[in-house]
Amino acid sequence: MLRWIRQQLGFDPPHQSETRTVYVANRFPQHGHYIPQRFADNRIISSKYTIWNFVPKNLFEQFRRIANFYFLIIFLVQLMIDTPTSPVTSGLPLFFVITVTAIKQGYEDWLRHKADNEVNGAPVFVVRSGSLVQTRSKNIRVGDIVRVAKDETFPADLVLLSSDRADGTCHITTASLDGETNLKTHYSVAETSVCQSVSQLEALQAVVECQQPEADLYRFVGRVTVTQHGEEIVRPLGPENLLLRGARLKNTKEIFGVAVYTGMESKMALNYKCKSQKRSAVEKSMNTFLLIYLGILLSEAVLSTILKYAWQAEDKWDEPFYNQKTDQERNSSPILKFISDFLAFLVLYNFIIPISLYVTVEMQKFLGSFFIGWDLDLYHEESDQKAQVNTSDLNEELGQVEYVFTDKTGTLTENEMQFRECSISGTKYREVNGKLVPEGMTDDSPDGSTPHLVGEELLFLKAVSLCHTVQISYDQPDCLVGGGDPFSHVNGFSSNHMEYYASSPDEKALVEAAKRIGVAFTGTSGDTMEIKTFGKTEKYKLLHVLEFDADRRRMSVILQTPSGGQVLFTKGAESAILPFTTSGEIEKTRLHVDEFALKGLRTLVVACRHFSPEEYIDVDRRLNAARTALQQREERLQEAFSYIERDLQLLGATGVEDKLQDKVQETIEALRLAGIKVWVLTGDKHETAVSVSLSCGHFHRTMNILELLQQRSDNECAEQLRRLARRIKEDHVIQHGLVVDGASLSLALREHEKLFMEVCKNCSAVLCCRMAPLQKAKVVRLLKTSPEKPITLAIGDGANDVSMIQEAHVGIGIMGKEGRQAVRNSDYAIARFKFLAKLLLVHGHFYYIRIATLVQYFFYKNVCFITPQFLYQFFCLFSQQTLYDSVYLTLYNICFTSLPILVYSLFEQLVHPHVLQSKPGLYRDISKNAMLSFRTFLYWTLLGFCHAFVFFFGSYILMGEDTTLMGNGQILRANRQLMFGNWTFGTLVFTVMVITVTLKLALETHFWTWMNHFVTWGSIAFYFIFSLFYGGIIWPFLHTQDMYFVFVQLLSSGSAWFAIIIIVITCLFPDVVKKVFYRHLHPTSTQKSQMYSNRVAIGDDFIALQPLSRAKSQLGKIR
């Protein structure tokens, strides 16, 4: 019991050992020493709250925000002490903000609960008590045997026991996990593959031992012990035996598997890692401004308290005849009185901190993010994909990017490979009309004739056709199911009957090229691979696959040839193959590989090794020993692979072209003109990467290319960096480009970060090649944390780009051919690299300007709101008398001034979108958080104070001069009495303020829509209508009604109207003069562009957004 409690509290995790033991069909041992292990149930929980913890947990999260917590304290102070304003004035806005946020978060969590319940309640079939039982997915336990039918998804991580195929294999797709759409073959061990019926499975005695759950989708280490006739048979289990939750069964009627990882311990669930919360530069500025305003608030409260006691030093003001103190007040502690007065002033001035700022910013970000998805210019018609927003919190950060880190393959290029050239035994060949033609020769053989290929050429093509993980799909996908000749479908095949699927586009291009030339891969059945060499069928037995990994950068297969010999075929990067070759045309091939790379082709080197029977026995023993190891299996496999993949005979090399995406060059040039530095981070060899960089405009032909390559030691690397730094200072070249490889980068980052950064910052373009995924993230982090703290953006399309995307301030996924992992982990996703220009230069520009103005305007209007309250204390002996009615205090930020700024922040366009795209330099005007600089913030704050002084003293002077105040607080004019006292004066100030702050925003608005007009004039009209109703009727539920008939009487005075007009003009006229003066004498480039866009907006074709018919059809597709 104690252990269970400790587990629930998290002190004693259930997984004590490094491995878990799973008894198939939960057939536990009968002896008494067995202690069952605890495993998670099969429920998936993506929700954050439950019905019980929603209120406390949500409130806790919301009050972690400084502003919310501050207003809660103010509200509690109002409840505890006698304050000049009602607790409702701060409690109602706080309640509104908390409620709106809670409803939004609760609704989002309800949707997650709904999705979870659908998944957890899905029907599944489980073998129990000798029969198939239907149950819900959430009821699956570790050890249960689960049956999955064709096209169903796997409900848990299962070890494959058997399928309806005789060889116990099945095909799956993992598109929902890693985005790869190719068919993958998974295997069962021979001892369990024969158990194809429920009765056989019920009689199966087997135990699976495997590692505890981990997130790596491609790693699984285990073994299965099958007891047959009293004998225990041990077989290794690897990733090829594990069927992951979320994957889908294809081309197989049904399978049976034993559940080893369930629920939140499945690999899919472990990959639901919470991304670190990214915060934009605007949000950080906003928090800084809040602290400054908190300082202003405290200063005003302290000053008011001190002045109150200074004033009350005179007896006549300390206890005037009309306000005698009670005995309790006379005897109370002076310190407590001081604290109480300080808190009362704090409450009185607290509205200088805008509580509704947060909720308005959240609404602006959430609603504004829809514009990216609706933009037809970001819609890719061929793939029917629109841009998507995964994180709306970073919209404005798109307008602040200083560095772009981009992947090459699939991001700058199409990731559509075309075979172009190859090198075989030192001779270069190219493909012409489906034939291999040596360099310098033309294809003059008549069509239909069989090309003559010598032994080396044929062996090379066979290696390309057999060394891969390609799958084949046929017109009748079920033709492999069941018995019969597994290759019957390829008799007399044509290219119409089959299609190759591969996780790597390179592999697919090479296998298709070999097929066109005459050596066609026609399928796999069990451990047999079949090829057709110019119509003649050959069958090879697949003995072992040495899987590709990022460290070795090669993959190999060991086959038994039709003649009975054993051969290893291997292919990989030239740096991973050539050092291990001992025969063949090594130097010539190396030269050819470099030539291919200079043309921008992706290169692979192909080699082979023939084994003697004794050598193969040793190889087989080493591989089996490594694969059955439960501890350090990866290390032992690497040792075995290194032992096998040596003494290779070089066969040749291939060159595959990856086309550049459309408008990549124009996009990179636009980013450069916008002041954004572009870094390309790729895993390709440096010649290929440089060639592509030159062709896409990342490097210019006139650019001075600096190299930091193949550095062997720290000292060597440091010396080279110093040389490069000297060259940059000495060379009078406008632009430098830097090429660095992964090995040299590791050395540079280890000891010489500052020197490396100094070189990089003086280069306008940097290319990093031979990069591992984590190195990409390290480079981004290096720039991100440098002293200048630049805003970074990472863009990529593959799983290897995820770490870089998550590390950068803004991560963008490309919806490419390398899956959806990058898209799922990104903040934004687009279909093509060319869309990045509009995303940054237009959407980023708009979002930043909108939210920067929103934040500063909010502070401005709250300074205007509270400063008259502070000034009023000088006229009421600091008695904490409020200037405004409590209803006005409450509704100022919620109703009277909230909608115009929200609409402005959604629709404002300083410059026409086409002008922003055609003049990328305008992006520089808003870089480095220019519109939220301290100078701009100071301007808006001082403007607020100036306007507040005009509101207060303008009302005081104009109304005071025009009227004769009587002792009873009334004025006499034209033989009738008009109430003119505290509330009338406060209402006049408030009326002037609402009109002025609304019209101030109207002056800032450049792009007027019907909605702007509606909310601007509607807000002013709503204020007047509300005030008339509020003060014109006696409301029975109000205890006091100080405002009764005040507003009506105020508006019946001509002098009041005159005062309103004069004060509003006095406030705004200097603004208008300043704008006109600066625009004509010192116009910014943005203001010049505004005049240009106004001239060309009407009647110029290129300014037209879309033809109406095309816009309608495309919009229909998006919906």
Side-chain angles (χ1 to χ4, degrees), residues 146-204:
V146 182
R147 185 205 132 198
V148 180
K150 182 184 171 187
D151 290 328
E152 290 181 353
T153 56
F154 301 113
D157 289 353
L158 312 174
V159 167
L160 180 59
L161 295 177
S162 65
S163 73
D164 63 311
R165 297 166 182 260
D167 55 8
T169 61
C170 70
H171 295 300
I172 70 166
T173 59
T174 57
S176 62
L177 296 172
D178 56 14
E180 293 180 5
T181 54
N182 60 302
L183 293 174
K184 295 175 180 168
T185 306
H186 282 244
Y187 306 88
S188 59
V189 298
E191 286 72 24
T192 64
S193 63
V194 295
C195 303
Q196 295 184 326
S197 67
V198 173
S199 57
Q200 289 173 306
L201 288 164
E202 185 65 24
L204 177 66

Side-chain angles (χ1 to χ4, degrees), residues 517-780:
I517 293 162
V519 180
F521 169 63
T522 55
T524 305
S525 175
D527 57 0
T528 303
M529 296 180 79
E530 183 186 89
I531 61 171
K532 277 198 170 186
T533 310
F534 303 111
K536 180 187 173 187
T537 300
E538 295 181 19
K539 292 185 180 179
Y540 289 78
K541 185 177 182 183
L542 182 62
L543 301 171
H544 291 284
V545 177
L546 281 58
E547 295 84 1
F548 174 87
D549 65 66
D551 295 326
R552 281 169 46 246
R553 298 183 65 81
R554 58 182 180 267
M555 71 87 62
S556 306
V557 292
I558 301 176
L559 303 163
Q560 183 174 310
T561 63
S563 59
Q566 285 85 25
V567 64
L568 170 117
F569 288 126
T570 185
K571 73 171 189 292
E574 91 290 343
S575 59
I577 302 282
L578 293 180
F580 303 101
T581 54
T582 54
S583 59
E585 297 288 347
I586 298 171
E587 289 310 314
K588 281 186 179 178
T589 304
R590 196 191 303 272
L591 284 172
H592 290 164
V593 166
D594 290 342
E595 286 176 29
F596 294 163
L598 286 172
K599 294 177 183 176
L601 303 181
R602 291 164 64 88
T603 58
L604 284 173
V605 174
V606 183
C608 71
R609 178 184 175 186
H610 295 275
F611 296 112
S612 65
E614 295 78 18
E615 284 176 328
Y616 176 70
I617 290 168
D618 181 39
V619 163
D620 188 55
R621 181 185 58 78
R622 283 173 180 267
L623 278 173
N624 285 328
R627 283 189 165 133
T628 52
L630 270 181
Q631 304 297 328
Q632 298 181 323
R633 182 182 290 187
E634 279 82 3
E635 291 83 351
R636 294 180 68 174
L637 276 172
Q638 292 301 323
E639 288 173 18
F641 290 171
S642 300
Y643 174 79
I644 296 163
E645 293 169 329
R646 60 189 175 89
D647 302 329
L648 301 174
Q649 174 194 340
L650 183 61
L651 296 176
T654 61
V656 174
E657 182 186 34
D658 189 2
K659 289 192 302 181
L660 276 178
Q661 283 189 20
D662 186 31
K663 293 189 178 175
V664 166
Q665 195 162 355
E666 294 91 328
T667 304
I668 289 177
E669 186 56 33
L671 295 177
R672 185 176 284 121
L673 290 171
I676 299 169
K677 290 188 175 182
V678 180
W679 288 34
V680 175
L681 313 179
T682 178
D684 272 357
K685 70 191 300 284
H686 102 269
E687 291 89 353
T688 307
V690 169
S691 174
V692 172
S693 276
L694 285 166
S695 63
C696 73
H698 178 238
F699 283 169
H700 290 298
R701 299 284 173 188
T702 56
M703 199 179 270
N704 184 15
I705 307 295
L706 309 172
E707 291 185 343
L708 182 68
L709 302 169
Q710 297 174 343
Q711 304 300 305
R712 304 291 179 203
S713 66
D714 279 339
N715 293 335
E716 189 184 336
C717 181
E719 187 53 42
Q720 176 65 3
L721 281 169
R722 289 189 196 99
R723 278 199 296 271
L724 295 177
R726 279 197 300 273
R727 275 189 64 186
I728 289 171
K729 285 177 184 173
E730 292 165 6
D731 289 355
H732 299 291
V733 179
I734 297 171
Q735 290 183 326
H736 297 275
L738 176 68
V739 185
V740 57
D741 63 10
S744 306
L745 184 73
S746 296
L747 292 171
L749 296 184
R750 194 186 305 161
E751 298 285 339
H752 317 291
E753 272 192 17
K754 285 185 179 176
L755 194 56
F756 178 66
M757 283 303 301
E758 185 187 332
V759 172
C760 288
K761 284 178 180 173
N762 287 314
C763 295
S764 53
V766 178
L767 169 64
C768 301
C769 50
R770 288 286 186 238
M771 296 282 283
L774 281 176
Q775 280 184 310
K776 292 183 177 184
K778 278 184 182 174
V779 170
V780 176

Side-chain angles (χ1 to χ4, degrees), residues 133-339:
V133 178
Q134 183 174 349
T135 184
R136 294 179 183 273
S137 173
K138 65 183 179 183
N139 297 328
I140 295 174
R141 297 168 297 171
V142 169
D144 279 346
I145 298 175
V146 182
R147 185 205 132 198
V148 180
K150 182 184 171 187
D151 290 328
E152 290 181 353
T153 56
F154 301 113
D157 289 353
L158 312 174
V159 167
L160 180 59
L161 295 177
S162 65
S163 73
D164 63 311
R165 297 166 182 260
D167 55 8
T169 61
C170 70
H171 295 300
I172 70 166
T173 59
T174 57
S176 62
L177 296 172
D178 56 14
E180 293 180 5
T181 54
N182 60 302
L183 293 174
K184 295 175 180 168
T185 306
H186 282 244
Y187 306 88
S188 59
V189 298
E191 286 72 24
T192 64
S193 63
V194 295
C195 303
Q196 295 184 326
S197 67
V198 173
S199 57
Q200 289 173 306
L201 288 164
E202 185 65 24
L204 177 66
Q205 290 190 336
V207 179
V208 174
E209 292 172 87
C210 58
Q211 63 192 157
Q212 293 292 4
E214 66 169 15
D216 191 339
L217 295 176
Y218 309 106
R219 186 172 183 271
F220 178 67
V221 179
R223 66 182 174 205
V224 60
T225 306
V226 183
T227 306
Q228 287 184 344
H229 312 297
E231 182 186 351
E232 291 188 347
I233 303 164
V234 181
R235 295 284 181 231
L237 297 174
E240 68 281 359
N241 306 110
L242 187 69
L243 306 171
L244 298 178
R245 177 176 190 139
R248 190 177 292 275
L249 185 65
K250 290 285 186 184
N251 289 12
T252 311
K253 189 177 175 185
E254 67 175 14
I255 63 99
F256 288 96
V258 59
V260 288
Y261 304 131
T262 50
M264 298 308 290
E265 292 182 343
S266 63
K267 288 185 180 286
M268 182 182 79
L270 292 173
N271 275 279
Y272 291 159
K273 57 176 178 291
C274 295
K275 291 186 283 188
S276 60
Q277 189 66 35
K278 295 181 179 180
R279 291 172 64 221
S280 70
V282 170
E283 193 176 339
K284 292 170 188 171
S285 299
M286 201 163 78
N287 290 339
T288 306
F289 298 159
L290 274 172
L291 290 174
I292 292 170
Y293 270 66
L294 192 61
I296 294 172
L297 168 66
L298 293 172
S299 304
E300 288 184 350
V302 169
L303 180 64
S304 297
T305 311
I306 292 169
L307 288 173
K308 175 178 180 176
Y309 282 93
W311 205 286
Q312 288 180 353
E314 292 184 53
D315 288 338
K316 66 173 182 176
W317 298 123
D318 182 37
E319 194 173 348
F321 70 92
Y322 55 84
N323 192 14
Q324 296 289 318
K325 288 184 181 178
T326 63
D327 290 337
Q328 186 182 354
E329 285 175 332
R330 289 194 186 96
N331 299 327
S332 62
S333 163
I335 296 172
L336 285 176
K337 279 170 66 180
F338 186 90
I339 293 170

Side-chain angles (χ1 to χ4, degrees), residues 878-978:
F878 297 93
S879 61
Q880 297 149 10
Q881 169 63 42
T882 178
L883 178 62
Y884 313 120
D885 183 72
S886 58
V887 171
Y888 286 162
L889 279 171
T890 306
L891 297 183
Y892 176 73
N893 276 319
I894 294 178
C895 295
F896 300 145
T897 59
S898 58
L899 279 180
I901 184 60
L902 179 62
V903 172
Y904 170 93
S905 66
L906 289 174
F907 298 111
E908 175 63 355
Q909 295 180 13
L910 268 182
V911 187
H912 197 283
H914 284 279
V915 177
L916 285 175
Q917 271 191 284
S918 62
K919 295 187 173 184
L922 295 176
Y923 192 83
R924 294 171 185 257
D925 286 359
I926 59 165
S927 62
K928 298 190 183 297
N929 209 7
M931 290 190 68
L932 279 175
S933 64
F934 190 74
R935 183 180 172 185
T936 318
F937 167 70
L938 200 62
Y939 164 75
W940 277 93
T941 303
L942 291 176
L943 185 70
F945 278 116
C946 291
H947 284 184
F949 272 79
V950 175
F951 300 156
F952 185 83
F953 289 109
S955 301
Y956 181 76
I957 292 165
L958 288 172
M959 296 305 287
E961 291 297 316
D962 186 53
T963 59
T964 307
L965 270 161
M966 296 177 67
N968 61 357
Q970 294 181 329
I971 63 163
L972 192 67
R973 185 195 305 155
N975 297 320
R976 66 188 181 93
Q977 288 192 331
L978 171 68

